[in-house]
């Protein structure tokens, strides 16, 4: 059975979420106060409606409580984002994800009923910062305030050595959860796995430990 999603706010972030969910074959209700924005998504989302999400009666009329997950992606209007989150929470929506513009906004929506808060600009900033530190750092994903997962190319310091030789867990407190070799992914690799050129390691750990791991093993001197 297809899951039902509602995306409130069709700016860059909300529009991207709406597009990707629709592409994956999900039922998506796209909501925005702007007619132009709604018209953009009429042929992308399952349904697209012009509506003020700060009006409780309107959300009830749209059957918002029938959706498995509602994403509040309202852009610059923090007040509208907060009011919408309050209404969704009071109506008993199963899962509410809110885009936060700053830490203060995040703190408020967390307190008033958001189940998950995302910081797309901050998170993207982190990913880009890590990727420009070294060509060997391919991707960086924040899992929580203190823990992340990083995708790194095997550096010259790693190639030809086994995981037990490098002892990443003991030396850096990080765990290698998988190794990507071309199109194959080796999940939970053996300790005697020898790293080859072009291997990609998927590593999880605290931000502090990952930073040390990157500095000592991943980043190569020019």
């Amino acid at each position: 059975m297809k899951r039902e999603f509602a995306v409130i706010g069709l700016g860059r972030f909300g529009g991207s979420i709406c597009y990707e969910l629709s592409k994956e074959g999900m039922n998506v209700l796209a909501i925005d106060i702007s007619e132009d924005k709604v018209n953009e998504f009429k042929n992308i989302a399952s349904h697209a409606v012009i509506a003020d999400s700060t009006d409780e009666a309107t959300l009830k009329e749209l059957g918002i409580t029938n959706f498995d997950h509602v994403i509040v992606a309202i852009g610059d209007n923090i007040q509208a984002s907060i009011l919408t989150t309050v209404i969704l929470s009071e109506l008993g929506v199963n899962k509410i994800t809110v885009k936060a513009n700053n830490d203060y906004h995040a703190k408020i929506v967390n307190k008033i009923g958001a189940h998950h808060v995302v910081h797309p600009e901050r998170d993207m900033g982190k990913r880009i910062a890590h990727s420009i530190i070294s060509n060997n750092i391919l991707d960086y994903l924040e899992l929580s305030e203190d823990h992340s997962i990083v995708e790194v190319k095997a550096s010259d310091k790693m190639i030809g050595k086994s995981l037990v030789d490098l002892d990443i867990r003991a030396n850096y407190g990080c765990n290698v959860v998988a190794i990507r070799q071309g199109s194959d992914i080796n999940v939970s690799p053996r300790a005697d796995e020898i790293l080859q050129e072009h291997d990609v390691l998927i590593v999880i750990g605290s931000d502090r430990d990952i930073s040390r791991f990157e500095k000592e093993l991943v980043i190569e001197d020019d």
Side-chain angles (χ1 to χ4, degrees):
M1 193 171 125
K2 285 185 183 178
R3 293 181 65 200
E4 305 271 343
F5 293 87
V7 179
I8 301 173
L10 300 173
R12 188 179 299 170
F13 176 70
S16 174
I17 294 277
C18 184
Y19 177 78
E20 292 299 328
L21 288 172
S22 300
K23 195 171 79 172
E24 292 299 320
M26 302 296 161
N27 287 326
V28 183
L29 170 64
I31 302 169
D32 201 285
I33 204 161
S34 160
E35 184 178 356
D36 290 342
K37 293 281 185 193
V38 170
N39 286 337
E40 273 182 52
F41 286 88
K42 274 189 173 169
N43 297 321
I44 296 170
S46 313
H47 303 283
V49 297
I50 305 161
D52 178 0
S53 62
T54 64
D55 184 334
E56 184 174 343
T58 299
L59 290 181
K60 279 182 177 175
E61 200 176 303
L62 290 170
I64 205 75
T65 54
N66 297 324
F67 289 84
D68 300 303
H69 195 155
V70 179
I71 298 97
V72 181
I74 296 169
D76 297 332
N77 192 337
I78 290 179
Q79 183 175 317
S81 170
I82 290 167
L83 286 172
T84 299
T85 306
V86 168
I87 293 167
L88 294 173
S89 179
E90 287 179 347
L91 289 175
V93 170
N94 285 331
K95 191 166 185 186
I96 305 164
T97 292
V98 182
K99 174 199 169 187
N101 291 2
N102 52 50
D103 289 340
Y104 176 69
H105 184 191
K107 197 177 287 186
I108 292 172
V109 292
N110 263 319
K111 285 183 177 177
I112 59 177
H115 301 108
H116 184 54
V117 178
V118 293
H119 301 256
E121 285 85 4
R122 185 193 69 185
D123 294 346
M124 184 54 71
K126 271 194 173 186
R127 292 176 80 173
I128 290 170
H130 278 259
S131 69
I132 61 179
I133 287 169
S134 167
N135 290 334
N136 285 337
I137 301 171
L138 303 178
D139 205 356
Y140 185 94
L141 180 66
E142 188 178 74
L143 299 176
S144 70
E145 280 190 14
D146 305 312
H147 288 77
S148 301
I149 190 161
V150 65
E151 199 173 87
V152 301
K153 263 197 307 191
S155 66
D156 288 343
K157 297 172 188 174
M158 300 183 200
I159 294 167
K161 293 181 180 174
S162 69
L163 293 179
V164 74
D165 290 335
L166 296 169
D167 210 356
I168 293 167
R169 185 172 186 176
N171 292 328
Y172 306 103
C174 303
N175 287 298
V176 178
V177 293
I179 298 174
R180 196 170 79 234
Q181 297 157 318
S183 57
D184 297 325
I185 292 193
N186 179 0
V187 179
S188 299
R190 298 193 324 269
D192 60 358
E193 185 79 34
I194 302 291
L195 295 174
Q196 311 290 332
E197 192 178 359
H198 308 306
D199 280 0
V200 173
L201 286 74
I202 293 137
V203 180
I204 191 169
S206 73
D207 292 343
R208 186 171 57 185
D209 290 337
I210 283 177
S211 177
R212 201 157 52 88
F213 163 69
E214 288 176 346
K215 284 174 186 169
E216 294 183 25
L217 264 193
V218 181
I219 298 169
E220 295 174 337
D221 299 327
D222 293 332

